[in-house]
Amino acid sequence: MDERSRSAVTHAHEEEVLARIAAGLVHTESEAAFQASRRRTEQIFAYNHTPPGEVEKRRALLVAIFGSVGERTVLLPPFHAGFGSNVHIGDDFFGNVNLTFVDDVDIRIGDGVMIAPSVTLTTTGHPVHPARRTDFGRFSEPIVIEDKVWIGSNAVVLPGVRIGYGSVIGAGSVVSRSIPPMTVALGTPCRVVRAITDEDLTTRTAER
């Protein structure tokens, strides 16, 4: 087989793996290894070790790390990401310390989102049966966080979840299902406890 033929076979294999990933099907570490060049490990390390006063350098690193990033972004180091390049962040974002993106596929965050310390956004899970976890077998589904969402400390958002506009996720919650707009949701598993209404304009916290 000549070089052109080998290249065509490799390309076809990669396209097949990408299609399986996009469909949320199980794939292995070895099968997905060709995506390694999209990992922004060095830039993430550099960002986490950049002094706070070097604002322009921090901004340049965020642009290099993320798939897209809006204006007036605040992300307090350290943060962690599997790729970085699969994360898309809107304007006026605030992310507190120890934010973790497990971004094997897209994580899309809207405008005006606030995320408290030690939150994990993970697009990836693993099969229950150990035989299917050979070579780190896994599946991935994208996460969407709409505009004006606030996520409390130590929350975990799992694969395939969409959090609707304006919603509040309570601290320590495990979000395994999508959350509708303008609601307060909390717990393990995370469940909607009430709607956000105009009465909340006069209160200090979601719980009063």
Side-chain angles (χ1 to χ4, degrees):
M1 184 182 294
D2 60 24
E3 185 63 31
R4 180 176 295 180
S5 298
R6 280 194 295 270
S7 178
V9 170
T10 298
H11 179 73
H13 171 72
E14 292 177 357
E15 289 295 313
E16 187 270 335
V17 173
L18 288 173
R20 283 167 49 206
I21 293 172
L25 300 177
V26 174
H27 57 283
T28 68
E29 176 70 18
S30 298
E31 289 174 327
F34 66 89
Q35 297 190 92
S37 63
R38 301 188 64 246
R39 296 185 185 273
R40 303 293 182 254
T41 309
E42 294 296 329
Q43 294 94 328
I44 293 168
F45 180 88
Y47 184 87
N48 286 335
H49 292 82
T50 300
E54 296 187 20
V55 177
E56 291 184 4
K57 181 178 179 181
R58 277 191 172 183
R59 173 65 188 180
L61 283 166
L62 287 183
V63 170
I65 291 165
F66 293 132
S68 60
V69 59
E71 300 298 324
R72 299 172 298 279
T73 298
V74 177
L75 179 56
L76 301 184
F79 85 97
H80 312 278
F83 284 82
S85 58
N86 289 327
V87 176
H88 301 269
I89 295 175
D91 296 335
D92 301 305
F93 171 80
F94 180 85
N96 217 315
V97 295
N98 293 320
L99 175 54
T100 298
F101 302 98
V102 183
D103 61 322
D104 290 2
V105 295
D106 281 356
I107 296 174
R108 294 192 174 271
I109 299 173
D111 298 336
V113 171
M114 298 191 302
I115 300 182
S118 300
V119 168
T120 298
L121 309 176
T122 178
T123 66
T124 294
H126 302 275
V128 172
H129 198 290
R132 302 204 72 194
R133 297 198 298 271
T134 301
D135 193 14
F136 306 106
R138 58 186 182 261
F139 59 87
S140 301
E141 297 178 23
I143 288 171
V144 177
I145 299 171
E146 296 183 5
D147 298 348
K148 307 292 186 181
V149 167
W150 168 30
I151 300 177
S153 299
N154 294 296
V156 179
V157 180
L158 296 179
V161 164
R162 185 182 194 99
I163 300 176
Y165 173 92
S167 287
V168 175
I169 304 300
S173 297
V174 177
V175 191
S176 57
R177 295 182 179 181
S178 294
I179 303 298
M182 292 296 286
T183 56
V184 176
L186 51 87
T188 304
C190 188
R191 298 184 186 279
V192 173
V193 294
R194 69 175 181 87
I196 296 172
T197 70
D198 287 349
E199 290 186 9
D200 292 302
L201 293 171
T202 61
T203 61
R204 185 176 68 89
T205 68
E207 292 77 23
R208 296 180 185 274

